[in-house]
Amino acid sequence: MGNTRRSGRKERLTRMATMQILFVVGMTLIIGPQKTLMFFARRQKLKGTAAFVAGILLILLRWPLVGFCVELYGLIVLFWDFVGTIAMFVTNVPVIGPYVALALDRIGAVRRNSELPV
């Protein structure tokens, strides 16, 4: 019984590490290697990049919960600028868009006429 528990844990760790590698590879295929490198290496993004990489390393070192939390923090820091873009996209969805737009206007979360984060 102990052996199957270990093999299941090892399998989950391998799956988590594989997902992280596929995330970075997928992003590279979508926006290109140069833009991917520029995105992760920007001065404003270094803290998020360091946390993301540290999270992957912690997962590989068999600290999956801590690694996942550190990695999640890194992803939030890296992609927080996209929240406004996503919110503006959701406001154009037919059924829920007007309600989302109303909520965003009330809390003042909408950035109008701003540049995209990438």
Side-chain angles (χ1 to χ4, degrees), residues 25-98:
V25 168
M27 187 171 170
T28 304
L29 289 173
I30 290 172
I31 65 173
Q34 186 177 10
K35 285 188 178 182
T36 301
L37 185 63
M38 288 174 53
F39 177 77
F40 283 107
R42 280 197 295 183
R43 187 176 189 96
Q44 310 93 296
K45 305 286 186 182
L46 286 179
K47 188 162 78 169
T49 301
F52 181 73
V53 171
I56 292 174
L57 290 175
L58 285 169
I59 290 172
L60 292 174
L61 294 172
R62 298 180 183 229
W63 286 69
L65 183 61
V66 176
F68 177 74
C69 292
V70 170
E71 188 177 335
L72 183 62
Y73 169 75
L75 286 173
I76 289 171
V77 171
L78 283 170
F79 293 103
W80 187 253
D81 294 340
F82 287 107
V83 172
T85 305
I86 293 168
M88 290 307 297
F89 172 77
V90 172
T91 59
N92 294 323
V93 174
V95 176
I96 62 170

Side-chain angles (χ1 to χ4, degrees), residues 94-114:
V95 176
I96 62 170
Y99 299 110
V100 172
L102 182 65
L104 290 174
D105 285 340
R106 284 192 179 168
I107 62 173
V110 179
R111 295 184 310 178
R112 300 196 191 278
N113 299 327
S114 63

